[in-house]
Amino acid sequence: MEQDDRQGRRWYSISIFALSLGLVFFAASLTPSLIPRGWPLQGVLAGLVMALGYMIGRFLLALWRALQIPEPRGTWRLVGRAIVLAASLVLLVFCLSMWTEWQNSVRSRVNMELLEGGAVLAILVIGLVTFAVLFVIGALFQSAFDALRRRLYRVIPPRAANLLGLVIVLLVIFVASRDWVLPSAIEFLDETYETAQDLFETAPPAPTDAFIPGSRESLVSWEAMGQPGRNFVTGAPSAADIEAFSGVPAERPIRVYVGRSQDEDPKERAEIALQELIRLGAFDRKILLIASPTGTGWLDPGAHDTLEFMQNGDVATVAVQYSFLQSPLALIFETDTGLEQATATMNAVYHHWLTLPEDSRPELYMHGISLGAWSSMHSFNVFQMLDQPVAGAVWAGPPFPSYLWRQTVSARNEGTPYVLPIVDDGAVVRFSSQFRKPSQSGDAWGRIRINFLQYASDPIVFFEPNSGFREPEWMKEKPAPDVSPYLRFVPVVTQFQLALDMALSKALPAGFGHNYLARDYIDAWVAVSNPDDWSPVRTQALKDICNLGRDTGCAVE
């Protein structure tokens, strides 16, 4: 079916070698990764990587011929093709037979219902259909390239025509994607999520309580706050609930939130947040928490309710929204907006905090989950804080690009695992998970306490951009309790598996993947904020009143 390129190539011609490599990629995609996959997504993933494997195979063949290396002819050619194709088919059959067991090796470790057999044929059909669609698209691009270069043959030498034709086709695709497809997609998503936040005319009535941001006395716009912000400022536990837990008189927690639609300038939004903190008396509290929300503006109740309960309500929290997109989308398309907003908020609050007497100002803490953890870390200016640092930070599910997180993991003690490192003697930085508490490193904390809360099954944390051709460090180690022992590195395929895992990172039960539980926040906050008159008994009592769901906090019955 393969013909000399000078004679032209039919759009439907298939290279057996490239097809065999595509089948190998198909088979490799069936191996487990961090997040279990249902058969529809598995089929699409398999077809996608099969097409990629086929494309790599065609590239290798083209390179082989460009180097003018002799190819097998006659019988040897037919035998070689048969052996390669048969080997790839045997591998595919084996991997299909193991798929259910491999997926259950993940599901059993994250408390999900086990799969039964019967989906293998569906995976195969979806995978092949996906491959066929991508093959046709690729063939159309190839046809466009062939037509263009043949026209160029009339005016320039063939080698130059081939190169120029390829550059023109790629340039057209790039420009169309950059100037039309991508902006349209971002605008559509941004409008969709903005609409979903019930802004302005769709907002519910503003609160009448002057203590709540968005009220008539407030500097913050209730309508511009959006649904995540309104849920946050109205969802704090009451002083009565906290008192019922602690048994002593409690404060009513202060929560300030400024929405993305309040103002176009991140510094102006930060200044409004500061003035609202001052209006509510936040700087008279024991603890002041600067929190950075996720891409949509969501703040985890499990992180905030727990701190407010253990500190008897003597807490003020401030957060400023920077995006409407889901965190994975904001991570890709709106990277700088979160970093700029977190820095502006930190600078405004921190510099005001510095003007207050040291013996009467609140202890200053930082927090963020997911993209909020990354932006919060970005605002953590080490040189600015050398003399008067914050008291501590709890960063949950830090995304893989986070520079401070990566730098800290790189500084881990030799022999400690990548997914749960130990740094020096644990006096400044500690890592915790659902399987290890920060207190297990002892009580020898220094002046500042930082805790990274991360689950080994969280692909937002452990995606590796270089995993296309280099095995991630954590894959070389003994797998964590929530990671499949069958997980193996496969060049190119692993990167696509982990990319899909990121999209599915919240598909696991609470306590795994990117779903962080209140119980684990409690252990982190106890270690970092060092509450007065605290004990393991009170830790367990607080865990008992905190719900397991990631979208709910703590409540006293």
Side-chain angles (χ1 to χ4, degrees):
M1 306 230 347
E2 296 171 341
Q3 301 177 22
D4 190 290
D5 189 59
R6 290 171 299 180
Q7 299 176 354
R9 186 185 297 273
R10 295 186 179 92
W11 72 269
Y12 54 82
S13 66
I14 294 178
S15 162
I16 297 299
F17 169 76
L19 178 63
S20 299
L21 185 60
L23 292 173
V24 169
F25 274 41
F26 189 119
S29 75
L30 299 168
T31 60
S33 53
L34 293 177
I35 308 294
R37 299 182 291 273
W39 57 265
L41 283 176
Q42 177 63 74
V44 173
L45 174 66
L48 174 63
V49 298
M50 181 180 176
L52 185 63
Y54 182 85
M55 184 177 67
I56 293 173
R58 293 297 290 259
F59 172 77
L60 293 175
L61 281 175
L63 181 62
W64 184 283
R65 290 165 182 162
L67 295 174
Q68 298 183 343
I69 301 174
E71 299 181 48
R73 299 289 181 182
T75 302
W76 286 108
R77 182 186 182 96
L78 294 175
V79 171
R81 284 180 170 183
I83 292 175
V84 170
L85 183 59
S88 63
L89 288 173
V90 169
L91 177 63
L92 177 59
V93 170
F94 169 75
C95 290
L96 284 169
S97 69
M98 291 294 295
W99 181 77
T100 301
E101 180 179 344
W102 283 339
Q103 292 301 309
N104 283 339
S105 73
V106 185
R107 300 174 75 91
S108 64
R109 285 164 173 78
V110 296
N111 300 332
M112 292 181 71
E113 183 179 355
L114 299 184
L115 297 175
E116 298 180 359
V120 170
L121 182 59
I123 292 172
L124 186 61
V125 170
I126 293 175
L128 293 178
V129 169
T130 302
F131 168 75
V133 170
L134 294 174
F135 178 84
V136 170
I137 293 174
L140 292 175
F141 282 120
Q142 177 70 48
S143 298
F145 167 63
D146 289 340
L148 179 60
R149 64 176 178 157
R150 290 192 185 104
R151 288 182 176 273
L152 292 173
Y153 284 165
R154 302 172 185 174
V155 292
I156 58 177
R159 181 172 296 181
N162 291 340
L163 179 59
L164 181 59
L166 179 61
V167 169
I168 292 174
V169 170
L170 293 178
L171 186 62
V172 169
I173 296 172
F174 171 76
V175 171
S177 300
R178 183 197 64 184
D179 296 341
W180 180 62
V181 178
L182 190 58
S184 298
I186 295 174
E187 182 179 359
F188 170 76
L189 291 170
D190 209 26
E191 290 179 355
T192 299
Y193 286 114
E194 182 177 356
T195 301
Q197 297 212 356
D198 295 331
L199 296 170
F200 300 102
E201 67 273 6
T202 59
T208 56
D209 187 346
F211 194 79
I212 299 177
S215 63
R216 179 178 298 179
E217 295 81 1
S218 173
L219 303 172
V220 179
S221 167
W222 176 256
E223 292 79 9
M225 197 182 294
Q227 192 63 46
R230 292 192 287 268
N231 289 342
F232 177 67
V233 298
T234 59
S238 67
D241 284 342
I242 297 174
E243 185 174 331
F245 168 75
S246 65
V248 297
E251 297 275 0
R252 181 181 180 182
I254 295 172
R255 292 187 176 185
V256 171
Y257 188 101
V258 176
R260 171 66 177 81
S261 296
Q262 177 90 35
D263 195 280
E264 285 299 315
D265 186 354
K267 292 182 179 179
E268 184 61 28
R269 294 196 295 267
E271 182 61 28
I272 293 171
L274 172 62
Q275 295 305 318
E276 185 73 354
L277 286 172
I278 295 172
R279 182 186 77 86
L280 294 172
F283 291 93
D284 296 325
R285 292 302 177 98
K286 177 186 176 183
I287 286 179
L288 175 58
L289 177 64
I290 303 175
S292 186
T294 63
T296 60
W298 179 74
L299 291 155
D300 193 342
H304 296 279
D305 289 13
T306 51
L307 179 64
E308 291 162 345
F309 267 94
M310 74 175 59
Q311 293 293 345
N312 208 35
D314 202 5
V315 179
T317 304
V318 59
V320 182
Q321 187 182 22
Y322 52 85
S323 174
F324 301 117
L325 298 178
Q326 295 284 349
S327 284
L329 297 173
L331 178 64
I332 297 171
F333 300 126
E334 291 190 334
T335 302
D336 292 338
T337 58
L339 306 184
E340 291 172 359
Q341 184 61 73
T343 301
T345 306
M346 184 65 191
N347 285 339
V349 176
Y350 179 77
H351 285 115
H352 179 79
W353 176 80
L354 284 178
T355 66
L356 304 177
E358 287 190 50
D359 58 351
S360 61
R361 68 192 182 194
E363 298 175 12
L364 189 59
Y365 290 88
M366 304 174 69
H367 169 67
I369 177 175
S370 190
L371 196 58
W374 183 18
S375 58
S376 179
M377 277 184 272
H378 181 80
S379 70
F380 182 81
N381 188 329
V382 176
F383 299 104
Q384 176 179 269
M385 300 181 188
L386 281 176
D387 184 43
Q388 300 188 63
V390 298
V394 171
W395 290 314
F400 64 91
S402 308
Y403 173 76
L404 183 59
W405 173 81
R406 297 183 75 90
Q407 185 181 43
T408 307
V409 172
S410 297
R412 68 190 184 278
N413 298 348
E414 185 177 356
T416 60
Y418 188 94
V419 297
L420 212 55
I422 297 176
V423 180
D424 297 327
D425 59 355
V428 177
V429 177
R430 296 182 184 180
F431 289 79
S432 64
S433 72
Q434 70 272 59
F435 301 110
R436 188 175 82 188
K437 302 176 183 178
S439 60
Q440 291 178 226
S441 296
D443 298 324
W445 280 100
R447 183 179 179 184
I448 182 172
R449 304 180 177 200
I450 296 175
N451 188 87
F452 291 100
L453 173 59
Q454 56 192 47
Y455 298 157
S457 53
D458 186 353
I460 299 294
V461 179
F462 295 109
F463 177 80
E464 179 53 61
N466 297 323
S467 59
F469 298 97
R470 188 176 69 181
E471 183 177 11
E473 287 293 319
W474 56 270
M475 282 193 180
K476 302 175 184 177
E477 302 170 348
K478 179 181 177 181
D482 51 340
V483 175
S484 170
Y486 293 110
L487 190 149
R488 296 292 185 273
F489 172 69
V490 180
V492 180
V493 175
T494 293
Q495 188 162 43
F496 280 83
Q497 289 178 318
L498 294 178
L500 180 59
D501 285 347
M502 283 203 297
L504 302 175
S505 61
K506 288 186 174 292
L508 295 186
F512 300 99
H514 204 52
N515 298 321
Y516 290 85
L517 279 181
R519 70 184 184 204
D520 299 317
Y521 280 120
I522 291 171
D523 293 324
W525 281 125
V526 167
V528 169
S529 71
N530 192 27
D532 297 331
D533 301 322
W534 200 257
S535 67
V537 173
R538 299 196 71 188
T539 295
Q540 186 56 52
L542 184 55
K543 290 182 178 181
D544 289 342
I545 69 167
C546 292
N547 298 319
L548 295 180
R550 63 181 177 85
D551 290 323
T552 53
C554 307
V556 178
E557 295 182 357

